[in-house]
Amino acid sequence: MIILHQSVSGNCDEEKEKVRITYTGNMGVVIESERSAVWIDGLHRFYKPEYQQTPLAFSDSAKKKAGHFKSLEWLLFSHYHRDHFDAGLTNEIIATDPGLKISGAGQVTDSLSGTNSTNAWNRNGRLTGLEDSDLGIEAFNLQHTWPARHSAVQNLMFSVIIDGLRITHLGDAGNEDIAYTQSAFKDADILVIPYWILLNDKGRSLIKTSKAKKIIATHIEPDSKPDIALRNSDLQQVILFDVPGEFIEVF
């Protein structure tokens, strides 16, 4: 597996088949191949200064099915907090493409009535299969961090299998949950995590139980300089996503 990490202005001249993961703000990433694209936690407006909102250029491109979004099939939302999901902005995208598929917990889908949405809470397995496309999606309940305050929040771990790669997004996860015993986590090629998991020994040890070679750390406050080691072990490289538009390409 070859990974190229590019900045927002970077270009790649490789002609090989590839999967691109592009950062769109806070924990938002769009995962795209030549045939399919999935956008996770990508539609949220300004909430507070410590959260990187989705730049309008991304939502405008999604409405036009252009750029990263030309093959967009799914919008996935880990949970309903306003730094991950905005119902109004999501409905604007859906209005331009009524066939677009959406999934999240009921706390998300209940605000998207009349859309092609799926409640993934308690699914704990396959959401869509690979039978007729290169794309598969799995969803698992995963406890939101700081459960003393957020125990009622339905947070989901989504695992996207695209062109043979498994990319797993944790949402606002903490260090402990039975979901981490699932192959979606243990056998992931790439993990998309909130940066705070790497700030303590317990979190770093948890990440080492996954086979993932690349760890994408997100949810980084704009203009901050997080003190995160860029290697979690001899085998796990940490990539910081904190500038919307930066990406990695996986061959």
Side-chain angles (χ1 to χ4, degrees):
M1 180 170 63
I2 301 172
I3 305 263
L4 297 180
H5 183 200
Q6 300 282 344
S7 70
V8 63
S9 59
N11 290 302
C12 177
D13 295 328
E14 293 283 345
E15 297 297 331
K16 298 177 182 177
E17 290 288 328
K18 59 184 177 288
V19 172
R20 177 180 289 202
I21 306 171
T22 302
Y23 178 61
T24 64
N26 202 43
M27 282 201 77
V29 291
V30 56
I31 302 167
E32 59 179 308
S33 70
E34 288 299 317
R35 295 179 293 279
S36 303
V38 177
W39 200 4
I40 307 177
D41 283 0
L43 289 163
H44 43 87
R45 304 180 193 272
F46 176 80
Y47 176 37
K48 294 179 180 178
E50 57 264 38
Y51 305 117
Q52 176 67 63
Q53 74 183 87
T54 305
L56 287 176
F58 288 115
S59 53
D60 287 346
S61 291
K63 291 175 184 177
K64 299 171 184 175
K65 295 295 284 280
H68 303 298
F69 309 97
K70 63 183 179 181
S71 302
L72 186 63
E73 295 184 39
W74 283 86
L75 300 174
L76 305 177
F77 298 98
S78 64
H79 62 293
Y80 75 109
H81 281 164
R82 287 163 57 192
D83 54 322
H84 295 256
F85 167 70
D86 181 271
L89 193 53
T90 303
N91 276 310
E92 288 181 18
I93 302 296
I94 296 166
T96 66
D97 184 1
L100 196 59
K101 297 180 281 290
I102 309 100
S103 188
Q107 292 170 340
V108 167
T109 59
D110 286 352
S111 62
L112 300 172
S113 59
T115 65
N116 187 12
S117 62
T118 301
N119 183 348
W121 188 247
N122 289 331
R123 180 63 65 101
N124 293 316
R126 187 59 59 90
L127 190 63
T128 186
L130 293 165
E131 292 82 3
D132 56 357
S133 75
D134 68 325
L135 180 68
I137 301 172
E138 296 174 351
F140 299 86
N141 297 0
L142 179 57
Q143 186 179 70
H144 194 287
T145 188
W146 199 0
R149 178 175 179 179
H150 297 298
S151 61
V153 177
Q154 297 172 336
N155 184 69
L156 289 168
M157 173 175 75
F158 282 107
S159 193
V160 176
I161 305 97
I162 184 167
D163 280 352
L165 289 167
R166 181 183 283 276
I167 302 157
T168 298
H169 184 287
L170 305 187
D172 277 3
N175 296 335
E176 295 183 78
D177 198 279
I178 194 168
Y180 292 132
T181 65
Q182 298 285 347
S183 62
F185 178 81
K186 295 178 68 176
D187 296 330
D189 295 296
I190 298 171
L191 292 176
V192 181
I193 70 170
Y195 77 97
W196 56 73
I197 289 182
L198 294 172
L199 298 181
N200 60 80
D201 290 340
K202 194 169 188 177
R204 287 191 292 269
S205 295
L206 166 69
I207 296 302
K208 289 176 184 176
T209 68
S210 173
K211 296 177 182 176
K213 298 296 189 293
K214 304 294 179 183
I215 312 300
I216 298 175
T218 63
H219 218 309
I220 298 170
E221 186 173 342
D223 301 320
S224 68
K225 298 186 183 298
D227 184 16
I228 300 174
L230 297 183
R231 191 160 291 279
N232 190 44
S233 69
D234 290 340
L235 298 176
Q236 289 185 324
Q237 179 188 3
V238 175
I239 297 167
L240 304 183
F241 269 8
D242 56 354
V243 179
E246 62 185 332
F247 62 88
I248 64 171
E249 289 182 337
V250 189
F251 297 89

PDB file of all heavy atoms in Angstrom, residues 3-23:
ATOM      1  N   ILE A   3       1.078   5.393   0.180  1.00  0.00           N
ATOM      2  CA  ILE A   3       0.315   6.548   0.616  1.00  0.00           C
ATOM      3  C   ILE A   3       1.065   7.816   0.233  1.00  0.00           C
ATOM      4  O   ILE A   3       2.251   7.952   0.501  1.00  0.00           O
ATOM      5  CB  ILE A   3       0.130   6.541   2.144  1.00  0.00           C
ATOM      6  CG1 ILE A   3      -0.493   5.232   2.602  1.00  0.00           C
ATOM      7  CG2 ILE A   3      -0.677   7.728   2.608  1.00  0.00           C
ATOM      8  CD1 ILE A   3      -1.945   5.232   2.809  1.00  0.00           C
ATOM      9  N   LEU A   4       0.381   8.753  -0.389  1.00  0.00           N
ATOM     10  CA  LEU A   4       0.931  10.075  -0.637  1.00  0.00           C
ATOM     11  C   LEU A   4       0.131  11.067   0.177  1.00  0.00           C
ATOM     12  O   LEU A   4      -1.096  11.071   0.148  1.00  0.00           O
ATOM     13  CB  LEU A   4       0.847  10.445  -2.121  1.00  0.00           C
ATOM     14  CG  LEU A   4       1.646   9.556  -3.084  1.00  0.00           C
ATOM     15  CD1 LEU A   4       1.442  10.062  -4.508  1.00  0.00           C
ATOM     16  CD2 LEU A   4       3.122   9.546  -2.732  1.00  0.00           C
ATOM     17  N   HIS A   5       0.814  11.926   0.925  1.00  0.00           N
ATOM     18  CA  HIS A   5       0.163  12.954   1.736  1.00  0.00           C
ATOM     19  C   HIS A   5       0.428  14.294   1.068  1.00  0.00           C
ATOM     20  O   HIS A   5       1.570  14.691   0.902  1.00  0.00           O
ATOM     21  CB  HIS A   5       0.732  12.941   3.162  1.00  0.00           C
ATOM     22  CG  HIS A   5       0.064  13.935   4.072  1.00  0.00           C
ATOM     23  ND1 HIS A   5       0.633  14.380   5.231  1.00  0.00           N
ATOM     24  CD2 HIS A   5      -1.139  14.553   3.992  1.00  0.00           C
ATOM     25  CE1 HIS A   5      -0.171  15.229   5.834  1.00  0.00           C
ATOM     26  NE2 HIS A   5      -1.250  15.358   5.102  1.00  0.00           N
ATOM     27  N   GLN A   6      -0.642  14.972   0.669  1.00  0.00           N
ATOM     28  CA  GLN A   6      -0.507  16.236  -0.039  1.00  0.00           C
ATOM     29  C   GLN A   6      -1.179  17.342   0.739  1.00  0.00           C
ATOM     30  O   GLN A   6      -2.162  17.134   1.441  1.00  0.00           O
ATOM     31  CB  GLN A   6      -1.169  16.141  -1.429  1.00  0.00           C
ATOM     32  CG  GLN A   6      -0.572  15.062  -2.323  1.00  0.00           C
ATOM     33  CD  GLN A   6       0.742  15.484  -2.935  1.00  0.00           C
ATOM     34  OE1 GLN A   6       1.076  16.665  -2.936  1.00  0.00           O
ATOM     35  NE2 GLN A   6       1.498  14.541  -3.445  1.00  0.00           N
ATOM     36  N   SER A   7      -0.667  18.552   0.596  1.00  0.00           N
ATOM     37  CA  SER A   7      -1.316  19.722   1.168  1.00  0.00           C
ATOM     38  C   SER A   7      -2.465  20.139   0.263  1.00  0.00           C
ATOM     39  O   SER A   7      -2.694  19.560  -0.793  1.00  0.00           O
ATOM     40  CB  SER A   7      -0.309  20.871   1.292  1.00  0.00           C
ATOM     41  OG  SER A   7       0.029  21.347   0.010  1.00  0.00           O
ATOM     42  N   VAL A   8      -3.153  21.212   0.660  1.00  0.00           N
ATOM     43  CA  VAL A   8      -4.296  21.682  -0.120  1.00  0.00           C
ATOM     44  C   VAL A   8      -3.879  22.044  -1.541  1.00  0.00           C
ATOM     45  O   VAL A   8      -4.663  21.937  -2.477  1.00  0.00           O
ATOM     46  CB  VAL A   8      -4.961  22.885   0.590  1.00  0.00           C
ATOM     47  CG1 VAL A   8      -4.012  24.065   0.680  1.00  0.00           C
ATOM     48  CG2 VAL A   8      -6.243  23.288  -0.109  1.00  0.00           C
ATOM     49  N   SER A   9      -2.626  22.473  -1.735  1.00  0.00           N
ATOM     50  CA  SER A   9      -2.197  22.863  -3.069  1.00  0.00           C
ATOM     51  C   SER A   9      -1.460  21.750  -3.803  1.00  0.00           C
ATOM     52  O   SER A   9      -1.019  21.933  -4.927  1.00  0.00           O
ATOM     53  CB  SER A   9      -1.268  24.085  -2.980  1.00  0.00           C
ATOM     54  OG  SER A   9      -0.132  23.797  -2.188  1.00  0.00           O
ATOM     55  N   GLY A  10      -1.322  20.591  -3.153  1.00  0.00           N
ATOM     56  CA  GLY A  10      -0.541  19.508  -3.737  1.00  0.00           C
ATOM     57  C   GLY A  10      -1.232  18.858  -4.913  1.00  0.00           C
ATOM     58  O   GLY A  10      -2.450  18.856  -5.025  1.00  0.00           O
ATOM     59  N   ASN A  11      -0.421  18.291  -5.819  1.00  0.00           N
ATOM     60  CA  ASN A  11      -0.947  17.556  -6.956  1.00  0.00           C
ATOM     61  C   ASN A  11      -0.220  16.232  -7.072  1.00  0.00           C
ATOM     62  O   ASN A  11       0.930  16.099  -6.685  1.00  0.00           O
ATOM     63  CB  ASN A  11      -0.737  18.346  -8.256  1.00  0.00           C
ATOM     64  CG  ASN A  11      -1.609  19.570  -8.329  1.00  0.00           C
ATOM     65  OD1 ASN A  11      -2.825  19.470  -8.248  1.00  0.00           O
ATOM     66  ND2 ASN A  11      -0.989  20.735  -8.455  1.00  0.00           N
ATOM     67  N   CYS A  12      -0.897  15.236  -7.621  1.00  0.00           N
ATOM     68  CA  CYS A  12      -0.285  13.921  -7.805  1.00  0.00           C
ATOM     69  C   CYS A  12      -0.415  13.534  -9.264  1.00  0.00           C
ATOM     70  O   CYS A  12      -1.516  13.564  -9.818  1.00  0.00           O
ATOM     71  CB  CYS A  12      -0.980  12.881  -6.920  1.00  0.00           C
ATOM     72  SG  CYS A  12      -0.359  11.221  -7.153  1.00  0.00           S
ATOM     73  N   ASP A  13       0.686  13.164  -9.871  1.00  0.00           N
ATOM     74  CA  ASP A  13       0.668  12.823 -11.282  1.00  0.00           C
ATOM     75  C   ASP A  13       0.560  11.328 -11.529  1.00  0.00           C
ATOM     76  O   ASP A  13       0.614  10.879 -12.669  1.00  0.00           O
ATOM     77  CB  ASP A  13       1.959  13.344 -11.943  1.00  0.00           C
ATOM     78  CG  ASP A  13       2.009  14.862 -11.919  1.00  0.00           C
ATOM     79  OD1 ASP A  13       0.938  15.468 -11.998  1.00  0.00           O
ATOM     80  OD2 ASP A  13       3.121  15.421 -11.808  1.00  0.00           O
ATOM     81  N   GLU A  14       0.416  10.540 -10.470  1.00  0.00           N
ATOM     82  CA  GLU A  14       0.324   9.095 -10.642  1.00  0.00           C
ATOM     83  C   GLU A  14      -0.915   8.732 -11.453  1.00  0.00           C
ATOM     84  O   GLU A  14      -1.976   9.332 -11.308  1.00  0.00           O
ATOM     85  CB  GLU A  14       0.251   8.406  -9.275  1.00  0.00           C
ATOM     86  CG  GLU A  14       1.520   8.527  -8.440  1.00  0.00           C
ATOM     87  CD  GLU A  14       2.604   7.587  -8.923  1.00  0.00           C
ATOM     88  OE1 GLU A  14       2.279   6.666  -9.694  1.00  0.00           O
ATOM     89  OE2 GLU A  14       3.767   7.774  -8.538  1.00  0.00           O
ATOM     90  N   GLU A  15      -0.787   7.724 -12.302  1.00  0.00           N
ATOM     91  CA  GLU A  15      -1.910   7.286 -13.125  1.00  0.00           C
ATOM     92  C   GLU A  15      -2.562   6.028 -12.567  1.00  0.00           C
ATOM     93  O   GLU A  15      -3.514   5.516 -13.137  1.00  0.00           O
ATOM     94  CB  GLU A  15      -1.423   7.019 -14.547  1.00  0.00           C
ATOM     95  CG  GLU A  15      -0.871   8.243 -15.258  1.00  0.00           C
ATOM     96  CD  GLU A  15      -1.921   9.323 -15.455  1.00  0.00           C
ATOM     97  OE1 GLU A  15      -3.109   8.962 -15.561  1.00  0.00           O
ATOM     98  OE2 GLU A  15      -1.565  10.502 -15.486  1.00  0.00           O
ATOM     99  N   LYS A  16      -2.027   5.510 -11.458  1.00  0.00           N
ATOM    100  CA  LYS A  16      -2.552   4.269 -10.907  1.00  0.00           C
ATOM    101  C   LYS A  16      -3.938   4.489 -10.314  1.00  0.00           C
ATOM    102  O   LYS A  16      -4.330   5.599  -9.980  1.00  0.00           O
ATOM    103  CB  LYS A  16      -1.615   3.741  -9.820  1.00  0.00           C
ATOM    104  CG  LYS A  16      -0.217   3.407 -10.313  1.00  0.00           C
ATOM    105  CD  LYS A  16       0.644   2.956  -9.138  1.00  0.00           C
ATOM    106  CE  LYS A  16       2.061   2.656  -9.590  1.00  0.00           C
ATOM    107  NZ  LYS A  16       2.922   2.279  -8.449  1.00  0.00           N
ATOM    108  N   GLU A  17      -4.679   3.371 -10.177  1.00  0.00           N
ATOM    109  CA  GLU A  17      -5.950   3.438  -9.458  1.00  0.00           C
ATOM    110  C   GLU A  17      -5.658   3.883  -8.034  1.00  0.00           C
ATOM    111  O   GLU A  17      -4.698   3.458  -7.406  1.00  0.00           O
ATOM    112  CB  GLU A  17      -6.606   2.060  -9.449  1.00  0.00           C
ATOM    113  CG  GLU A  17      -7.122   1.603 -10.791  1.00  0.00           C
ATOM    114  CD  GLU A  17      -8.364   2.353 -11.236  1.00  0.00           C
ATOM    115  OE1 GLU A  17      -9.146   2.754 -10.353  1.00  0.00           O
ATOM    116  OE2 GLU A  17      -8.534   2.553 -12.443  1.00  0.00           O
ATOM    117  N   LYS A  18      -6.495   4.734  -7.476  1.00  0.00           N
ATOM    118  CA  LYS A  18      -6.229   5.245  -6.145  1.00  0.00           C
ATOM    119  C   LYS A  18      -7.529   5.585  -5.434  1.00  0.00           C
ATOM    120  O   LYS A  18      -8.577   5.772  -6.043  1.00  0.00           O
ATOM    121  CB  LYS A  18      -5.343   6.487  -6.211  1.00  0.00           C
ATOM    122  CG  LYS A  18      -5.913   7.647  -7.017  1.00  0.00           C
ATOM    123  CD  LYS A  18      -4.927   8.795  -7.095  1.00  0.00           C
ATOM    124  CE  LYS A  18      -5.458   9.938  -7.955  1.00  0.00           C
ATOM    125  NZ  LYS A  18      -5.457   9.596  -9.392  1.00  0.00           N
ATOM    126  N   VAL A  19      -7.428   5.640  -4.112  1.00  0.00           N
ATOM    127  CA  VAL A  19      -8.491   6.137  -3.258  1.00  0.00           C
ATOM    128  C   VAL A  19      -7.958   7.394  -2.591  1.00  0.00           C
ATOM    129  O   VAL A  19      -6.834   7.404  -2.061  1.00  0.00           O
ATOM    130  CB  VAL A  19      -8.897   5.100  -2.190  1.00  0.00           C
ATOM    131  CG1 VAL A  19      -9.878   5.709  -1.193  1.00  0.00           C
ATOM    132  CG2 VAL A  19      -9.512   3.873  -2.860  1.00  0.00           C
ATOM    133  N   ARG A  20      -8.729   8.460  -2.634  1.00  0.00           N
ATOM    134  CA  ARG A  20      -8.307   9.726  -2.029  1.00  0.00           C
ATOM    135  C   ARG A  20      -9.181  10.013  -0.808  1.00  0.00           C
ATOM    136  O   ARG A  20     -10.405   9.840  -0.859  1.00  0.00           O
ATOM    137  CB  ARG A  20      -8.422  10.866  -3.036  1.00  0.00           C
ATOM    138  CG  ARG A  20      -8.065  12.238  -2.458  1.00  0.00           C
ATOM    139  CD  ARG A  20      -8.171  13.349  -3.465  1.00  0.00           C
ATOM    140  NE  ARG A  20      -7.102  13.275  -4.458  1.00  0.00           N
ATOM    141  CZ  ARG A  20      -6.700  14.333  -5.178  1.00  0.00           C
ATOM    142  NH1 ARG A  20      -7.268  15.512  -5.008  1.00  0.00           N
ATOM    143  NH2 ARG A  20      -5.741  14.191  -6.065  1.00  0.00           N
ATOM    144  N   ILE A  21      -8.548  10.465   0.264  1.00  0.00           N
ATOM    145  CA  ILE A  21      -9.249  10.892   1.481  1.00  0.00           C
ATOM    146  C   ILE A  21      -8.920  12.364   1.676  1.00  0.00           C
ATOM    147  O   ILE A  21      -7.767  12.731   1.896  1.00  0.00           O
ATOM    148  CB  ILE A  21      -8.811  10.077   2.705  1.00  0.00           C
ATOM    149  CG1 ILE A  21      -8.964   8.579   2.445  1.00  0.00           C
ATOM    150  CG2 ILE A  21      -9.616  10.487   3.933  1.00  0.00           C
ATOM    151  CD1 ILE A  21      -8.358   7.698   3.520  1.00  0.00           C
ATOM    152  N   THR A  22      -9.944  13.219   1.590  1.00  0.00           N
ATOM    153  CA  THR A  22      -9.758  14.667   1.655  1.00  0.00           C
ATOM    154  C   THR A  22     -10.443  15.215   2.899  1.00  0.00           C
ATOM    155  O   THR A  22     -11.584  14.873   3.206  1.00  0.00           O
ATOM    156  CB  THR A  22     -10.345  15.344   0.405  1.00  0.00           C
ATOM    157  OG1 THR A  22      -9.726  14.801  -0.766  1.00  0.00           O
ATOM    158  CG2 THR A  22     -10.118  16.848   0.439  1.00  0.00           C
ATOM    159  N   TYR A  23      -9.741  16.081   3.593  1.00  0.00           N
ATOM    160  CA  TYR A  23     -10.256  16.690   4.824  1.00  0.00           C
ATOM    161  C   TYR A  23     -11.165  17.864   4.488  1.00  0.00           C
ATOM    162  O   TYR A  23     -10.800  18.731   3.685  1.00  0.00           O
ATOM    163  CB  TYR A  23      -9.077  17.161   5.674  1.00  0.00           C
ATOM    164  CG  TYR A  23      -9.450  17.852   6.958  1.00  0.00           C
ATOM    165  CD1 TYR A  23     -10.185  17.198   7.946  1.00  0.00           C
ATOM    166  CD2 TYR A  23      -9.043  19.165   7.201  1.00  0.00           C
ATOM    167  CE1 TYR A  23     -10.503  17.826   9.122  1.00  0.00           C
ATOM    168  CE2 TYR A  23      -9.355  19.800   8.393  1.00  0.00           C
ATOM    169  CZ  TYR A  23     -10.091  19.127   9.342  1.00  0.00           C
ATOM    170  OH  TYR A  23     -10.407  19.758  10.529  1.00  0.00           O
TER     171      TYR A  23
END
